[in-house]
């Protein structure tokens, strides 16, 4: 266990809070820890007609389009289950009757507190009165066969970690999920 000695706020924004801490490491030596605190996010695995629902969107840090499962950031103290319903509807124009919690994952535990809550949309259908996507999002829905999505990982077409995890999960469990 490390002991925090001091903490300095580097940045306090809408999405992240960044600190630089001085700690005493497990062996007694001093160390510095730069940490990004984040409210976390929700990710939704959805299977429709043997295909996984994905969204294509531009990601500024990489200056490229990515292919991802529907997902979104949590607001401070927002219930992840409620956020999963909202994000799924905003990004796919589909409304789910149920969201089954699958698991949590830490995408970058070396420097970030973000937790991604992975859900599976159950009993969903396309609707005409869906919630609107965020104004700064340009999303394109893709329905991709599971085997094709699995191969897209190894072809470098899908690079997003949460999406790779979801595809691996469905690929390993497709007998139960389809």
């Amino acid at each position: 266990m490390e002991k925090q000695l001091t903490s300095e706020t580097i940045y306090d924004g809408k999405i992240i809070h960044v600190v630089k801490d001085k700690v005493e490491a497990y062996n007694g030596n001093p160390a510095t820890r730069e940490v990004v605190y984040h409210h976390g996010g929700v990710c939704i695995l959805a299977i429709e007609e043997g295909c996984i629902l994905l969204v294509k969107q531009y990601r500024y840090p990489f200056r490229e389009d990515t292919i991802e499962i529907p997902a979104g950031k949590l607001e401070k103290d927002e219930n992840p289950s409620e956020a999963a319903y909202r994000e799924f509807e905003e990004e796919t124009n589909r409304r789910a009757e149920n969201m089954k919690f699958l698991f949590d994952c830490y995408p970058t535990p070396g420097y970030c507190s973000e937790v991604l809550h992975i859900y599976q949309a159950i009993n969903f259908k396309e609707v005409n009165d869906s919630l609107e996507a965020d104004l700064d999002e340009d999303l394109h829905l893709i329905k991709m066969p599971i085997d094709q999505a699995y191969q897209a990982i190894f072809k470098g077409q899908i690079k997003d970690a949460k999406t790779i995890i979801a595809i691996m999960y469905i690929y390993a469990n497709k007998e139960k999920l389809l």
Side-chain angles (χ1 to χ4, degrees):
M1 178 71 102
E2 295 183 342
K3 179 181 175 186
Q4 178 185 333
L5 303 173
T6 64
S7 185
E8 174 189 1
T9 294
I10 304 300
Y11 176 77
D12 191 17
K14 181 181 176 191
I15 298 172
I16 61 171
H17 178 81
V18 183
V19 299
K20 183 176 182 181
D21 291 352
K22 299 287 184 193
V23 302
E24 181 180 300
Y26 69 95
N27 59 7
N29 291 328
T32 300
R33 301 290 183 244
E34 296 173 350
V35 181
V36 176
Y37 289 98
H38 187 284
H39 300 303
V42 293
C43 311
I44 302 93
L45 171 62
I47 305 160
E48 184 176 84
E49 299 169 346
C51 294
I52 185 169
L53 294 184
L54 302 165
V55 291
K56 181 178 176 182
Q57 64 181 316
Y58 182 77
R59 290 300 192 178
Y60 182 81
F62 298 103
R63 310 299 199 272
E64 67 182 56
D65 288 329
T66 61
I67 298 172
E68 307 175 27
I69 58 174
K73 294 179 290 295
L74 291 172
E75 300 297 327
K76 186 174 189 212
D77 300 322
E78 184 176 20
N79 178 300
S81 176
E82 292 172 13
Y85 285 99
R86 175 181 48 79
E87 287 293 340
F88 183 62
E89 188 170 325
E90 287 176 1
E91 295 197 0
T92 68
N93 294 321
R94 284 154 176 77
R95 191 169 292 140
E97 287 182 24
N98 298 78
M99 285 287 171
K100 177 184 174 188
F101 174 76
L102 297 177
F103 52 86
D104 287 335
C105 70
Y106 303 151
T108 49
Y111 65 88
C112 186
S113 71
E114 182 179 22
V115 177
L116 294 178
H117 308 280
I118 314 290
Y119 289 85
Q120 181 182 1
I122 307 290
N123 297 329
F124 58 88
K125 63 180 179 182
E126 191 169 2
V127 294
N128 293 324
D129 63 340
S130 67
L131 298 170
E132 296 289 325
D134 293 341
L135 294 175
D136 63 346
E137 289 182 318
D138 182 27
L139 304 171
H140 303 278
L141 187 66
I142 299 170
K143 289 174 63 173
M144 188 178 290
I146 295 164
D147 290 341
Q148 182 182 339
Y150 181 78
Q151 290 304 317
I153 294 168
F154 302 104
K155 292 178 181 176
Q157 297 165 332
I158 295 177
K159 300 174 187 175
D160 175 64
K162 68 185 174 295
T163 304
I164 292 171
I165 292 167
I167 292 169
M168 293 296 188
Y169 176 83
I170 193 170
Y171 193 78
N173 293 288
K174 63 183 173 181
E175 300 295 323
K176 292 184 244 175
L177 298 174
L178 295 178

